[in-house]
Amino acid sequence: IATQSHDERWREKWERAVDHVYDLAGLVSPERMIAGIYSVVTNWKFDAMLVQNSLAAYSAIGPIRRDCPKIRVIDLVHATDHVWDILRVTASVAGQIDLRVAISETGLRRLREAGAPKDATRLIRNGIDLEQFTARPIRESQNPKTVLFAGRLAAVKRPTLLVDIAREWTKLRANYRLRFVVAGDGPESERLLESVRRAKLETMFSFLGMVDDIRPLLDESDIVVVPSRSEGIPLIVLEAFASQRPVVCSRVGAVDEAVDGATGVLIETGAGESRRFAVAIHSLLENPRQRDEMGKAGRRRVEELYDRSRCQAQYRELFETKSVESSSSWKQ
C-alpha cells in the first residue's frame, strides 16, 4: 500500500514483486488517506501489517487494531536523528505496535531508550544483492575522475552542497579534471541546476535524472559522495561498497556503522564542511592504493553484514511468526 507516491515510475517494479498494489495517493484525497488504509487492511484481513515511514499508516493503527485484534503490527525504522524523529511523532501509537524493526544498531538503541521492550525490537540490516552488485577495480587511467552522487534531489540530501564542494575543489589545483555525476531527481533539481550555472561550473557536472540501474554508474565512478544532513544507513553507501568504491559521507544518523576509516571518509557537518569534502576527495584521488584498499574493505563489510540473502531470511522469519497481542509494556 503506497501512501506518498506521486507518479507511476515505481509501479512496474512493485507489480513484479506483488500481486496487488494500492497506490492510494492517486485513489483518495489526503484527508481520506487514513480511511483508505483502514479499508484495505480490514477488507483483506491481513495477518500482518508493516508500516514504513508513513504517518497516515501510523494514524490508522488504532482503528485497525480495534477491528482486527489478531493482526500483527510491525514498523520499520530508518531514521536515527532528530531531523525526522519518527520515534517522537509515533509515540502515541507505540503501545499498539507488536514489533519495531531497526535497520541499524543506532536505531535499535534509540528504540530501547524510548522505552521499547527488548523482546519487542529487532535489528534487521538492509541487504544488497551481492550477485547483482559485483566488485570491479577502478580504472586508474580514466580522466576526468568521477564523483557520483545518487539519490533524491531533496533538501535532506543536500545536493546543492555539491556546488560548494566543486568550488572548493577548484582551489586545490589538482593535476587532473573532476566530474560530478548526479543521478536522481526531486524538488531540489532546479535549485541545483541554477546553483551550478551561477557558479559557472557546468563543465564539471553531468545530470542524468532518474536512473533505473545504478550499477554501470558505480562501475564508472572513482568515489561516491553522500552529503546528507539526515540518514539512517543509505543504500547507495552499501551499493558503493558492494561495487568496491570508497565513500565520502557526512557523519549523520547511523552512517558511521558502515563508513569508517577503513571503508571511506566521514565528514563532520557544520562550518567548513564543503572544504573538508573537497580535501577528502582530492586526497583519495591522489592515493589510488588507499582507494583500492577502502573499496576492498567496503566489499568485505557488505559481505559480512549486509548480504541480502541474510536480510531476506530474517524478514521471512519475521512474517512467519504467528500473530500476538499488542505489547502493553511500552512507556507512554
Side-chain angles (χ1 to χ4, degrees):
I1 304 174
T3 63
Q4 300 174 65
S5 64
H6 299 289
D7 55 54
E8 293 287 316
R9 288 179 299 183
W10 281 92
R11 190 176 185 96
E12 182 181 346
K13 293 183 179 181
W14 292 337
E15 289 176 340
R16 289 202 298 266
V18 296
D19 296 322
H20 300 278
V21 174
Y22 289 90
D23 194 353
L24 290 186
L27 298 174
V28 300
S29 60
E31 59 270 17
R32 296 289 299 165
M33 184 65 68
I34 297 170
I37 296 166
Y38 168 87
S39 176
V40 175
V41 174
T42 55
N43 283 322
W44 275 91
K45 302 186 187 303
F46 291 138
D47 297 301
M49 170 185 175
L50 183 142
V51 180
Q52 176 175 287
N53 202 31
S54 169
L55 291 182
Y58 279 111
S59 298
I61 288 175
I64 289 170
R65 293 225 67 138
R66 181 193 64 217
D67 296 333
C68 300
K70 293 185 177 180
I71 194 171
R72 189 164 192 247
V73 178
I74 307 163
D75 77 335
L76 183 59
V77 178
H78 288 257
T80 62
D81 52 40
H82 297 287
V83 175
W84 171 225
D85 193 345
I86 193 68
L87 302 187
R88 179 181 59 80
V89 299
T90 62
S92 62
V93 296
Q96 296 176 295
I97 300 173
D98 296 305
L99 183 66
R100 307 199 79 169
V101 177
I103 66 157
S104 66
E105 294 174 5
T106 304
L108 185 66
R109 183 173 64 252
R110 284 209 62 208
L111 282 169
R112 292 177 179 172
E113 290 171 351
K118 186 175 182 179
D119 61 358
T121 58
R122 186 174 301 183
L123 171 66
I124 301 182
R125 304 180 196 276
N126 281 333
I128 297 298
D129 187 334
L130 296 178
E131 294 183 0
Q132 292 290 322
F133 287 86
T134 54
R136 295 183 184 276
I138 295 172
R139 291 171 294 183
E140 291 305 329
S141 61
Q142 81 173 17
N143 191 15
K145 302 296 185 183
T146 300
V147 173
L148 174 65
F149 171 96
R152 288 182 298 113
L153 300 187
V156 71
K157 303 291 186 180
R158 296 198 299 176
T160 55
L161 190 63
L162 296 173
V163 182
D164 296 329
I165 295 169
R167 188 184 290 111
E168 291 293 337
W169 185 86
T170 62
K171 301 174 184 178
L172 298 176
R173 298 184 180 180
N175 56 7
Y176 48 81
R177 293 184 296 120
L178 188 66
R179 180 174 63 127
F180 287 84
V181 174
V182 179
D185 61 13
E188 292 286 287
S189 297
E190 286 302 318
R191 186 174 172 219
L192 175 58
L193 287 168
E194 180 58 28
S195 295
V196 170
R197 283 194 291 266
R198 284 201 308 268
K200 295 181 171 53
L201 294 173
E202 293 93 334
T203 58
M204 288 184 66
F205 281 82
S206 296
F207 297 99
L208 305 183
M210 183 74 172
V211 174
D212 288 330
D213 187 355
I214 199 66
R215 291 172 297 174
L217 295 181
L218 286 165
D219 291 346
E220 295 167 5
S221 69
D222 295 282
I223 296 171
V224 173
V225 64
V226 184
S228 305
R229 63 182 171 90
S230 178
E231 285 289 358
I233 297 180
L235 279 176
I236 185 59
V237 166
L238 305 182
E239 291 166 349
F241 286 175
S243 304
Q244 208 165 296
R245 295 297 182 266
V247 174
V248 180
C249 185
S250 302
R251 187 191 290 273
V252 294
V255 165
D256 60 2
E257 292 180 25
V259 182
D260 55 26
T263 59
V265 181
L266 286 170
I267 303 298
E268 301 295 336
T269 59
E273 64 183 305
S274 58
R275 176 72 178 182
R276 292 191 288 276
F277 265 101
V279 169
I281 290 168
H282 180 266
S283 176
L284 286 177
L285 292 177
E286 290 286 337
N287 193 334
R289 180 176 177 180
Q290 184 182 25
R291 292 207 316 279
D292 182 61
E293 290 173 351
M294 284 183 170
K296 290 176 180 176
R299 177 70 187 191
R300 291 193 297 270
R301 182 73 49 85
V302 171
E303 290 173 349
E304 178 185 359
L305 295 176
Y306 300 99
D307 184 343
R308 192 176 75 169
S309 61
R310 185 183 301 113
C311 169
Q312 289 174 323
Q314 290 174 310
Y315 277 110
R316 278 195 293 271
E317 179 187 357
L318 189 74
F319 290 119
E320 288 168 359
T321 303
K322 294 184 180 300
S323 299
V324 296
E325 295 300 321
S326 181
S327 171
S328 60
S329 57
W330 288 75
K331 293 178 182 177
Q332 299 298 318

